[in-house]
Every structure is written in C-alpha cells, then in structure tokens.
Amino acid sequence: MIARVAKQMALLAQHVAPAPPVSRVKRAARPAYHLAPKSGWINDPNGPLVFNGTYHLFYQHNPNSSEWQWGLVWGHAKSKDLVNWEHLPVGIAPSPGLDQDGCFSGCATVDVDGRPSLLYTGVVRKPAQEVEPAISPQYESQLIAVAADPNDPDLKEWVKLPGAFLPTPPADMKLTGWRDPFVLERPSATSPYWFVMIGAGQREKCGLAMVYRSKDLKSGWEYVGPLCESDDSHMWECPIMATLTNQTPHNASNSNGDGLAAKSRHLFCVSPDYCVNMPQYWLGEYSAGKFNLDKADGPHPLDLGDIMYAAQVLEDEQGRTVLWAWMQEKQQLRPAGTYNSACCLCVPRMLYLSPDGKHMLQEPLPELNCLREQQGAWHIGTAAGDSSSMSLLPGVPVDFGDSSSNGS
C-alpha cells in the first residue's frame, strides 16, 4: 500500500509545475474575497439590509488603527450580487452625547414609511472608579439613525434621532451588559407591534435576551420580559433570530422528492460572554416575544473553528437566510502593529433545514462559485483499456463516490 501511494505521488509530481521560490519579503496579508476595509480594524457585521435592489452591509470599524479602540464607527459597503462589494463612506460615527465613545453593534430595518433605519448601541466610557469586574465598562443606550435620503442608492448619509428609543432597564436587574438591538418582528396584519430584543446578562445569574415592543419604531417602547435565558453564560452578545425552512430554493426538490412535508423552525443564536467563545444556536419555536429554550434543540456551535463571533442574518430577495460573522485573527500570528489592517467577515452563508427539518445546514452562497477557476478536478488512475500503467485523469474517481471517472 505504501509503495503504491509513493508511486502515485511520484507520478503526480511529474504533472505538477515546480513551486516558485518562497519570497522572503514580508507582505501585508489581505483577504482576496472576504469583506474587509482597505485599512484599519473590523469586527462585528452590523445591519445587513437589502433596499431597492442593493445589498448594504455595515460593520464595526476603527479606520485609524489595526487594533480595537474606543470610538468605533459603522463601516459601510454595498453590493449587487453579495460577492463583489464597494466600500462607501462611514455610515455612522460617534458624536457628543450618548454614543461619544463608540457606535456599537445593532441591526437595520425599513420603517413603515419606507425609510431605512439603523438600530445600534451607543456607548460612553465609565469613569475608572465605576468600572467593576465582569460588568460592561461603558454606559449603554439604544439609538436610531435614519437614512437622510431614501432615494440615494448608496444610502451614504444618516441622521441620528435625538435621545434613546428604549427606556433604561430597571436598576434592580443588575445587568452585566445591555446592547446589540435586533428586530424580532415588524407590524403585520396580525399584530400592530414592533418587537426588538437586546443582548444582556444578569450578574451571577444568567445570560438573556430582553424583549421590548412598540407600535412606533421610534418611540413608545415598553419592556415585555426575557425572550429566554440560560445560566451557562453571564452575557449574551449579538442575539439574532431567523425562520428556517426545508423548502428553500436550494433544497426544495430534495424535500419534495423524499415526500416530506414542509417544515420550519426558528433559529436563535447568541455570542456568549466574550469573543474567545464560539456562537451558540438553538432550533425551536418563537412567538410574541418568547422563545422556548427548554424545548429547543441545542445549544450547538455555529462553527467548528475558533475565530468566528458576532453573527448577523438577513433574509435576501430570494427568501434565503444569509449569515455573516466576524472572523478574528490570532494575535500570536499577527503581532500588534505588524499590518495596517486586521480581521475580516466570513463569506456569506446560506442557512436552511435538512429535509426532515431536524438539523440546520450551512453552505456558502452559490453566487460565490463565480470566484472559482473552472479547471475541474484530477486524479491518478488507470486509463480505459490500459490497466497496466497509472496516468493523470480528469474528474473524481469512482472510489470517492463519483458515478464516473472521466467527468470534469
């Protein structure tokens, strides 16, 4: 067996061009197709939005350094195909008042009048004497900015509304943090309410998502109660919710072909405590500001790696649930000050249920196939009619599960 593998490797080496010499010149590592700013720091994706046929994606950004610092802005990019992105001027930036030390994470929506709106957490640093262990070192407020001109295809300018749109939570809740608004529901034929959830935690008790509702996006909000909670963590950051189905455009033929009925479940996902932890998700049932965590399936890790955090989702124009997340960099591989940029977002993933509705499946958007070089696959095998010699053949061998050995 070993001799056969060695022979195959030697044969393959004859067909592979020698590798060019390794350059000793240090290069600034830059993502080729993952979304990242031209320079500076990037972390959480924020406010994915499709409006008038254009996709917009915002992100936590420090344009002045490749390190995280106070004063984060919302970077902004747009795309027509979710593959090729054009960077635009900063969407929102700190200003004197409730967000003077940073515009933290949030979401995007379109109000009932058709105006795009950004919901985000504004922060003000606490004085040193007020900072406590395991408690957020900033005062947090939930704020709204609206598009200055909804007819601008680039949505370049945003106007901040005065004051916070959510009331400050009760002091006796002893929260460890209170941030990252996410729209759960819009007004509909069956309900006049907006529902929003906020990531939070209660000191020495649990991580939770707090739910508010109002008939007006900009005012009149009231606290409904916890969406759900878990004592497995102390703080839930970046909570998101999406309805998944096994009847997506991608896999509808599989489920119908198997004779299975259409199924849907709610995905609830959080990033627990801190960015060294992997986002967790559950599949279960959501209704009117409540998610039944006790009967949900989970928690499951959102990814098998250890650099993903702060996921965001969008239902695109095809009805698909599309996910982005922050891809961190290992500090030991990128010492401080080495490059003028750091981190990126993952490529957009499509989320859907397995045909039986029991599991969540993930895969890169099919639009990303345009990035591949169309050279096909190759393998080492015996050519038809000549079993005595090995040769390099196109396609995937039958041993690997292909129906033929001469496809491309």
Side-chain angles (χ1 to χ4, degrees):
M1 176 66 179
I2 296 176
R4 180 184 177 189
V5 172
K7 181 179 179 181
Q8 292 178 350
M9 295 302 295
L11 179 61
L12 180 60
Q14 299 175 11
H15 294 269
V16 178
V22 177
S23 172
R24 300 297 180 185
V25 179
K26 182 180 292 186
R27 299 176 180 175
R30 291 284 304 146
Y33 49 86
H34 294 73
L35 181 60
K38 295 179 180 179
S39 63
W41 166 272
I42 180 175
N43 55 288
D44 307 2
N46 295 150
L49 175 73
V50 57
F51 186 70
N52 290 340
T54 298
Y55 292 94
H56 296 264
L57 186 57
F58 301 85
Y59 50 86
Q60 295 283 281
H61 181 37
N62 176 8
N64 302 314
S65 171
S66 61
E67 305 296 322
W68 189 98
Q69 293 176 349
W70 293 99
L72 291 174
V73 306
W74 275 35
H76 183 193
K78 71 170 186 176
S79 176
K80 285 290 188 181
D81 57 11
L82 294 172
V83 178
N84 301 288
W85 294 89
E86 176 186 346
H87 288 278
L88 298 170
V90 166
I92 51 177
S95 53
L98 296 176
D99 65 1
Q100 65 186 35
D101 289 318
C103 300
F104 278 18
S105 291
C107 67
T109 189
V110 178
D111 68 17
V112 294
D113 297 321
R115 185 178 294 270
S117 304
L118 306 180
L119 284 60
Y120 70 102
T121 299
V123 300
V124 176
R125 295 179 68 179
K126 294 178 179 177
Q129 63 272 21
E130 294 187 20
V131 176
E132 303 176 58
I135 305 297
S136 296
Q138 68 270 339
Y139 301 112
E140 297 164 326
S141 303
Q142 312 313 321
L143 310 175
I144 295 180
V146 298
D149 180 8
N151 295 317
D152 174 13
D154 291 342
L155 298 178
K156 287 183 178 179
E157 296 185 11
W158 297 84
V159 177
K160 297 177 183 177
L161 301 185
F165 74 93
L166 289 186
T168 303
D172 61 4
M173 289 191 70
K174 297 181 180 180
L175 297 182
T176 57
W178 184 64
R179 54 185 174 268
D180 311 332
F182 183 88
V183 173
L184 285 169
E185 293 185 51
R186 298 169 51 85
S188 65
T190 58
S191 171
Y193 291 104
W194 291 87
F195 282 83
V196 164
M197 67 175 168
I198 307 291
Q202 286 189 279
R203 191 181 311 185
E204 299 179 353
K205 183 179 179 183
C206 63
L208 75 158
M210 300 172 62
V211 176
Y212 297 77
R213 73 175 186 177
S214 175
K215 295 181 179 180
D216 184 341
L217 179 64
K218 302 176 180 64
S219 63
W221 290 87
E222 61 180 358
Y223 179 51
V224 175
L227 175 89
C228 55
E229 60 186 46
S230 171
D231 59 9
D232 289 340
S233 57
H234 301 291
M235 171 71 196
W236 280 353
E237 294 192 299
C238 303
I240 58 174
M241 180 84 71
T243 303
L244 304 184
T245 175
N246 64 350
Q247 299 292 296
T248 64
H250 173 77
N251 71 328
S253 60
N254 293 334
S255 55
N256 289 337
D258 292 339
L260 298 175
K263 296 179 181 296
S264 65
R265 302 178 78 181
H266 290 96
L267 163 73
F268 174 61
C269 178
V270 300
S271 293
D273 295 332
Y274 187 61
C275 60
V276 297
N277 298 319
M278 179 57 56
Q280 299 177 339
Y281 75 89
W282 292 259
L283 295 176
E285 299 300 324
Y286 164 82
S287 178
K290 294 291 183 181
F291 182 80
N292 193 332
L293 198 70
D294 292 336
K295 294 185 178 181
D297 179 18
H300 302 288
L302 183 64
D303 192 81
L304 297 181
D306 61 353
I307 61 172
M308 175 181 279
Y309 198 73
Q312 265 287 355
V313 287
L314 168 72
E315 182 177 321
D316 73 0
E317 291 189 313
Q318 300 180 44
R320 303 175 301 184
T321 298
V322 182
L323 177 142
W324 291 267
W326 171 31
M327 305 296 284
Q328 306 169 65
E329 291 192 27
K330 295 291 188 179
Q331 189 67 32
Q332 63 269 30
L333 301 180
R334 186 191 58 80
T338 303
Y339 303 131
N340 68 348
S341 63
C343 310
C344 64
L345 302 185
C346 71
V347 296
R349 304 178 179 188
M350 181 170 62
L351 310 181
Y352 55 96
L353 294 180
S354 57
D356 61 9
K358 294 182 178 180
H359 308 286
M360 183 179 77
L361 305 180
Q362 309 182 52
E363 64 180 86
L365 283 185
E367 287 90 332
L368 294 165
N369 289 332
C370 70
L371 298 172
R372 298 181 183 275
E373 295 183 0
Q374 302 299 317
Q375 295 181 348
W378 295 82
H379 74 284
I380 296 174
T382 55
D386 182 10
S387 60
S388 61
S389 61
M390 305 286 287
S391 59
L392 194 64
L393 304 174
V396 178
V398 175
D399 292 351
F400 290 168
D402 192 23
S403 58
S404 67
S405 61
N406 56 7
S408 60

